[in-house]
Amino acid sequence: MKQIKRELSLITIISLIMTFCLSSFASAQPMSSATSYILLYVDKTEAFLNDKKVTLESPATIIKDKMFVPAKFLGDVMGLKVEWNAATRQIEMTTPGYHIVLDSDHKSVWINGVLEPFDSVASISKEGKLLIKLTWLADYMGARYTYNDELRRVEIVHTVTPAGTYIPDTGNSKPVAKFAFGKSTYQLGEPVKYIDLSYDPDSEGIAKYEWKGNEETFFTAGTFPVTLTVWDKHGNQSETYLRYITIEDKTYLNAIEYPIYMKPVGAHIKTDWSMIWGNFWSLPQLPKKVATDDTRKLLVSDSPEEFKQRGILYQDKVNGKGRLYADHINGTQEKVTLAILARNNSDRAITIKTTNKGEVFPSVYANLIGNEASVDFLMNDPRNETLVVPAKQTFVYSQMPEFYPGQGVNLFYDVETDGEIEFSFVATDRITEQTLQQLPLLPFSGHVRGSFPVSEVRWDIDASAFYEPSRIIIGDGQTDPFQPGYDTMRKENVLNEGNYGVVYKIHAVKPRKMAIMIMPHGGVFKGPFKINGEMQLVPQSGVLTAFDGMQILAKTTGTEESLDIEFTPPAGSAFPIDLIFYPLADDKQIVTGN
């Protein structure tokens, strides 16, 4: 029977200690100096803590003329650290300056390694709770007490003293972790401000931070723990500092709005199909007024996109303003030269003036070459390059470095001629007049090829007074029609599917406060946008894929006179794409810059 009672008592102690540990963890944080005043009555569960009445699980009691008090209650009040060691089946207690181990199996207690009898310091109440001898607990916890025999009452005064940071063995101090919140409560989806107050008493700075629970924002109401631990440059670790943040059940921003408001221009917003379908798939389109510029003839050499033999890729004449656009891959087994030849069939010299260009050296990265050439072209750096072609002569207008198998190139040139020039896009191993006469016209292979009257599209959009997310679509062939043209080599009418080589100029007067984002629909996308004169790469690195994400292109404040977006479809990218215009509330914080 005694053995059974002893086992039951031990189980009770273990249960108590586990409760103790969980309670200690939940409230663990550095304490300021504070004094607790405790009144306990012998054999009564009624007690007082700082004049507040409490009910104990077990009362204080006298055993063999010694006062024993409830361990859990006083441990909570005094900050006594208690842990159950499952491997050794021992209770470990830590007080300022002392390490205490209670072994109920062997009825022993070790205090800083010195053995004492278990019964001299601990007992089990009839309720099965752990009791500790008051004189022993007071000595090790630094408490003062008096016993009033007439009232059968114990008065205990305990002052918690914060642990020091100085480490005598090293002559250095531990750093101190500390932080505050910007305000007492936050709403759902409201950005949380964390104010770091950590410091190193030795003035050597903080070398490392470890936060836990410090979310940018919270989308669930409640109270949540946030902790911070810091280290100095010597590896000394602070105590872990804990505060609780309170989130009200009121919405500031929802989960869809938050990244749009809080991520900077240029940032990527990850999406999935359900998010797109529920929030962005069927947005209304902003009204737009469309105008086209047919003063500059566009020659597009893109088919065969991948040529398998040497020859003439495309050929047509320009008299006045023209744009030369080429996008090709070397599909032969040999290195070749890609060049644009200028033939003057007239009886007088003709001058070719280059006013803008975008070009990239041969590369195996299809998306890269389209992006780089588009950036170069949209920068529109002032140029005044001229080439005079004598009568009845053929000159090389442009020539690329050696073009190896599998590599691609993308070229843009805006030209102005004072007479008719025949431009030929050729792939060959040598460039001579005789070579040009002998090169075959390469057959069409299904990509864009032809000459197109329109090289610029202008959209005036109304972005001043809309109140729900809206969009404009680029490259769908319907709301944004593909420009018609003529293939001089096949002698057929064609469409510029994708409008490659066309520059879009999108203009809005007095735009409202909003975010502008790009969302690809057709597949892989990589290309630049010029926003009010500033280049924005999409994405900053890598590629943007359909339905996996959006990128923030710009944010307006509602005070701008205008918004101007310039864009040209980059080679190697798929269409259509959406430009999403997302209205922003005036009373909400936003993040703008890159």
Side-chain angles (χ1 to χ4, degrees):
M1 180 64 75
K2 290 182 179 180
Q3 179 65 26
I4 292 174
K5 287 184 177 180
R6 184 162 58 249
E7 293 299 327
L8 288 173
S9 297
L10 183 58
I11 291 171
T12 303
I13 294 172
I14 294 171
S15 176
L16 170 66
I17 297 309
M18 294 305 291
T19 302
F20 215 123
C21 293
L22 291 172
S23 174
S24 298
F25 175 78
S27 60
Q29 57 180 321
M31 293 183 172
S32 300
S33 297
T35 298
S36 298
Y37 179 63
I38 306 155
L39 292 179
L40 302 176
Y41 294 88
V42 177
D43 297 330
K44 290 185 178 180
T45 56
E46 180 186 86
F48 289 87
L49 172 60
N50 296 331
D51 295 329
K52 183 179 179 180
K53 185 177 179 181
V54 295
T55 301
L56 306 177
E57 292 180 329
S58 292
T61 189
I62 296 174
I63 302 174
K64 297 180 180 179
D65 298 327
K66 304 296 182 183
M67 177 68 69
F68 283 76
V69 292
K72 183 179 187 320
F73 173 69
L74 290 178
D76 285 341
V77 173
M78 298 183 187
L80 177 64
K81 182 179 179 182
V82 181
E83 294 177 327
W84 166 250
N85 188 324
T88 62
R89 295 177 57 79
Q90 294 173 337
I91 301 165
E92 298 182 8
M93 307 170 67
T94 304
T95 71
Y98 296 94
H99 181 68
I100 303 162
V101 178
L102 292 89
D103 188 335
S104 59
D105 285 350
H106 300 93
K107 291 292 185 179
S108 301
V109 176
W110 285 270
I111 301 172
N112 287 351
V114 178
L115 180 64
E116 290 190 15
F118 181 87
D119 293 340
S120 66
V121 297
S123 181
I124 305 300
S125 71
K126 63 183 180 180
E127 293 83 11
K129 305 300 180 182
L130 178 64
L131 301 175
I132 297 292
K133 188 170 70 172
L134 177 59
T135 55
W136 182 82
L137 181 64
D139 287 343
Y140 291 111
M141 292 302 295
R144 305 189 309 275
Y145 69 92
T146 57
Y147 175 61
N148 187 318
D149 186 51
E150 181 179 352
L151 298 176
R152 292 176 60 79
R153 185 177 74 182
V154 181
E155 299 180 16
I156 303 172
V157 178
H158 177 254
T159 301
V160 177
T161 303
T165 62
Y166 188 68
I167 309 170
D169 295 341
T170 63
N172 201 266
S173 298
K174 295 189 297 183
V176 177
K178 192 175 183 182
F179 66 91
F181 304 119
K183 58 183 187 177
S184 58
T185 62
Y186 286 86
Q187 296 178 19
L188 299 171
E190 183 177 8
V192 178
K193 182 178 182 180
Y194 299 93
I195 303 171
D196 177 26
L197 301 172
S198 304
Y199 62 91
D200 180 34
D202 305 301
S203 299
E204 295 174 329
I206 305 299
K208 178 183 173 184
Y209 288 79
E210 183 180 274
W211 291 88
K212 291 183 179 178
N214 61 325
E215 302 292 336
E216 263 186 49
T217 189
F218 294 80
F219 293 105
T220 304
T223 301
F224 305 94
V226 181
T227 64
L228 174 61
T229 308
V230 299
W231 286 260
D232 66 16
K233 67 179 184 180
H234 302 291
N236 296 319
Q237 178 180 337
S238 72
E239 298 296 326
T240 296
Y241 187 78
L242 167 68
R243 292 183 71 101
Y244 286 88
I245 187 168
T246 300
I247 308 300
E248 301 177 88
D249 194 12
K250 292 174 58 179
T251 299
Y252 181 82
L253 295 171
N254 62 38
I256 301 299
E257 296 170 325
Y258 184 82
I260 298 173
Y261 277 82
M262 293 302 143
K263 283 182 176 286
V265 171
H268 178 266
I269 299 176
K270 185 171 179 57
T271 61
D272 55 31
W273 175 245
S274 62
M275 175 183 173
I276 291 172
W277 181 258
N279 298 276
F280 301 104
W281 187 248
S282 300
L283 295 179
Q285 296 190 48
L286 284 178
K288 66 177 184 280
K289 181 180 178 182
V290 179
T292 58
D293 182 354
D294 58 3
T295 63
R296 185 181 297 278
K297 184 179 182 180
L298 170 63
L299 276 59
V300 177
S301 177
D302 191 20
S303 186
E305 180 186 62
E306 182 178 10
F307 55 87
K308 304 292 185 179
Q309 65 184 90
R310 300 179 184 88
I312 298 174
L313 302 160
Y314 188 62
Q315 190 177 72
D316 196 9
K317 299 179 178 68
V318 171
N319 191 349
K321 290 183 178 181
R323 176 170 299 157
L324 313 179
Y325 178 90
D327 181 37
H328 291 288
I329 299 171
N330 182 0
T332 72
Q333 300 301 309
E334 302 173 316
K335 66 180 180 181
V336 297
T337 294
L338 182 74
I340 301 176
L341 304 183
R343 172 69 181 173
N344 178 4
N345 292 314
S346 73
D347 294 327
R348 65 176 181 86
I350 296 176
T351 299
I352 304 172
K353 181 180 178 181
T354 301
T355 58
N356 189 20
K357 71 177 179 180
E359 57 187 9
V360 60
F361 287 170
S363 170
V364 296
Y365 298 106
N367 297 111
L368 175 67
I369 61 176
N371 176 75
E372 294 292 324
S374 298
V375 170
D376 201 12
F377 189 76
L378 289 178
M379 288 299 296
N380 200 20
D381 293 331
R383 296 183 182 279
N384 190 21
E385 302 171 3
T386 59
L387 173 67
V388 178
V389 184
K392 308 298 182 182
Q393 294 292 312
T394 300
F395 276 17
V396 175
Y397 170 76
S398 175
Q399 181 176 343
M400 286 286 99
E402 291 181 330
F403 191 18
Y404 286 86
Q407 290 185 329
V409 294
N410 188 211
L411 309 171
F412 285 83
Y413 299 102
D414 273 358
V415 298
E416 296 179 8
T417 71
D418 61 359
E420 186 177 83
I421 292 288
E422 182 180 68
F423 287 99
S424 300
F425 300 79
V426 302
T428 184
D429 56 349
R430 65 185 66 179
I431 300 174
T432 66
E433 183 76 21
Q434 183 178 7
T435 301
L436 180 59
Q437 295 174 0
Q438 295 173 347
L439 285 174
L441 300 177
L442 296 185
F444 180 74
S445 63
H447 292 269
V448 177
R449 185 174 74 184
S451 300
F452 304 90
V454 171
S455 61
E456 182 175 298
V457 175
R458 293 190 297 270
W459 291 349
D460 289 320
I461 62 172
D462 183 2
S464 60
F466 66 101
Y467 300 98
E468 59 179 328
S470 303
R471 63 176 171 161
I472 57 175
I473 304 171
I474 299 176
D476 67 343
Q478 298 174 14
T479 60
D480 174 26
F482 296 139
Q483 295 301 318
Y486 184 75
D487 183 347
T488 60
M489 292 172 63
R490 282 191 295 159
K491 303 188 183 316
E492 289 185 13
N493 293 324
V494 293
L495 289 177
N496 185 356
E497 296 185 4
N499 285 342
Y500 292 102
V502 174
V503 172
Y504 289 74
K505 292 188 175 180
I506 303 167
H507 177 72
V509 176
K510 296 188 179 299
R512 64 155 296 157
K513 185 178 181 180
M514 62 182 172
I516 301 103
M517 299 171 289
I518 173 178
M519 184 175 72
H521 278 184
V524 172
F525 182 89
K526 183 178 182 66
F529 287 79
K530 193 175 181 181
I531 314 288
N532 283 354
E534 185 173 343
M535 200 65 66
Q536 185 65 246
L537 301 182
V538 179
Q540 300 293 329
S541 62
V543 296
L544 201 62
T545 55
F547 312 126
D548 288 335
M550 304 182 293
Q551 180 168 317
I552 301 175
L553 290 176
K555 290 184 180 179
T556 58
T557 62
T559 61
E560 294 87 354
E561 287 298 315
S562 64
L563 170 69
D564 287 284
I565 302 173
E566 291 184 53
F567 172 74
T568 187
S573 289
F575 287 85
I577 60 173
D578 280 0
L579 292 187
I580 297 173
F581 296 79
Y582 200 99
L584 302 175
D586 289 329
D587 62 343
K588 298 291 192 291
Q589 174 188 344
I590 67 167
V591 175
T592 55
N594 292 305

